Amino acid sequence: MPSSETPTLSVAVLPSHGSNLPADALALVRDYQRASKAKATVRAYKSDAAAFTAWCDGHGVSSLPASPETVAAFLSHEAAAGRASSTIGRRLAAIAYAHKLADLPDPGAHETVHAVIKGIRRRPDMQIRQKTAATAEVLAAMLSHAPPGLAGKRDRALLGLGFAGAFRRSELAALLVSDLTDHVDGLRVLIRRSKTDQEGRGAEKAIPHGRHVRPVALLRDWLAAAGITDGPVFRPISRSGRIRAEALTDRSIGDIVKRYAGAAGFDPAAFGGHSLRAGFVTTAAERGADLARIMEVSGHRDPRTVLGYVRRANAFKDHAGSGFL
């Protein structure tokens, strides 16, 4: 078993050897190290770190520093246990990050680990399973199942705004009332930080009033009914109907999307928080929206990502065989 002196793998590890800095200075450095990653990433890394450390403890090997063989064996174990390829990739990233913070060589950079990752990704059962896009038609079906009352109003606003702005679930969870600015044509929504803007430079999205989904009206209806004038826009509601002060978590938002997809007759396992974002991009592509305009709303930086949605959305339009099949 590893000795008690073996450091626990953690995203908060800070190399201390050779340092005479006072404790408060080291704590400040740790704070900034944590801030370098999004909160959702830190939570995921901590979970990944705990899984790796537990596996290493059970096999009597060191987790920090870890050998390439140890990392390769752990990832192979995760694949055999049915972990998704994306989860395995994130676990490897967490291991690399912990070693970086501890000023240790990255064991994941070794060819042994590269070969294992390549083998995992080539397995047919490890192919990336993308969440189903909640297109405009799917969204309409989901919205029709929202119940009366505060929870229904919140969920309609969440689904409508999430779709209209092609928001990530983390962006919806972080949204504050102060981020909303009324406009004659709709609403301006400030995204203070996102996956592609970790430094928090901020970006603004325009949400039109709309005639079908009517996202602005849905949002205003929720805020008015809930009496929310500041703080988080989307909040948990207790069973007694009390609106809590804290924000919904991004995981809760994903669960809400799944629940309404199931209520509308779709497979809830195929849907998630990303479905609203994918649904907007897919619907816009189906309706012939310009690529650059789609990217303005979605915030994608790489047009190749959006082109993938466009190709899938238009796969049957002007098909090469439509004239003779």
Side-chain angles (χ1 to χ4, degrees):
M1 295 292 291
S3 71
S4 59
E5 297 180 355
T6 300
T8 301
L9 180 65
S10 168
V11 295
V13 171
L14 178 73
S16 58
H17 48 273
S19 173
N20 295 317
L21 290 172
D24 56 345
L26 294 176
L28 184 61
V29 173
R30 289 191 182 97
D31 287 342
Y32 279 111
Q33 285 177 331
R34 293 188 186 99
S36 71
K37 298 290 183 182
K39 290 182 180 179
T41 301
V42 171
R43 286 197 301 270
Y45 275 15
K46 285 183 177 179
S47 174
D48 297 330
F52 181 55
T53 300
W55 185 89
C56 288
D57 289 347
H59 289 77
V61 294
S62 172
S63 60
L64 193 71
S67 69
E69 292 75 19
T70 294
V71 175
F74 170 68
L75 298 180
S76 298
H77 169 268
E78 293 294 280
R83 305 287 185 224
S85 178
S86 57
T87 300
I88 293 173
R90 195 192 63 227
R91 293 225 197 287
L92 179 59
I95 294 170
Y97 186 56
H99 280 73
K100 178 181 179 180
L101 290 182
D103 199 23
L104 293 169
D106 175 15
H110 195 276
E111 181 57 36
T112 297
V113 180
H114 287 173
V116 167
I117 287 293
K118 185 176 181 180
I120 290 173
R121 289 174 176 168
R122 291 187 65 174
R123 282 175 47 182
D125 59 325
M126 295 300 292
Q127 296 299 312
I128 296 176
R129 297 179 291 275
Q130 292 185 327
K131 292 300 182 183
T132 299
T135 59
E137 293 76 13
V138 172
L139 180 71
M142 294 167 67
L143 289 173
S144 69
H145 285 81
L150 280 176
K153 290 179 183 294
R154 179 202 63 190
D155 295 347
R156 279 193 292 269
L158 177 65
L159 296 172
L161 184 67
F163 175 84
F167 287 105
R168 297 178 176 88
R169 60 181 185 174
S170 60
E171 295 169 350
L172 290 170
L175 202 60
L176 303 176
V177 174
S178 58
D179 298 328
L180 310 176
T181 303
D182 287 326
H183 187 275
V184 64
D185 294 319
L187 191 69
R188 295 187 184 277
V189 179
L190 174 65
I191 305 301
R192 287 170 287 112
R193 188 184 299 273
S194 69
K195 180 179 179 181
T196 56
D197 178 25
Q198 293 298 315
E199 289 73 33
R201 291 185 296 270
E204 194 175 70
K205 292 192 178 188
I207 308 298
H209 288 294
R211 293 179 297 163
H212 306 289
V213 177
R214 299 175 63 248
V216 177
L218 293 177
L219 181 62
R220 287 175 175 167
D221 188 31
W222 153 242
L223 293 176
I228 296 175
T229 57
D230 60 10
V233 171
F234 297 112
R235 311 180 185 197
I237 301 174
S238 69
R239 292 184 178 180
S240 63
R242 184 175 65 86
I243 300 172
R244 297 177 181 171
E246 70 270 19
L248 281 174
T249 65
D250 53 358
R251 181 173 297 180
S252 296
I253 290 172
D255 290 341
I256 289 172
V257 174
K258 287 177 177 292
R259 185 167 71 249
Y260 279 94
F266 302 101
D267 177 11
F271 287 77
H274 188 74
S275 294
L276 298 175
R277 180 172 170 79
F280 174 88
V281 176
T282 300
T283 303
E286 289 174 343
R287 308 295 170 85
D290 180 74
L291 175 64
R293 299 295 285 175
I294 295 176
M295 292 178 65
E296 281 182 11
V297 177
S298 69
H300 281 102
R301 291 187 175 181
D302 190 344
R304 291 174 297 181
T305 303
V306 182
L307 282 172
Y309 289 102
V310 174
R311 281 193 292 269
R312 285 192 294 273
N314 296 320
F316 290 95
K317 290 184 179 180
D318 299 321
H319 192 282
S322 59
F324 57 86
L325 292 180

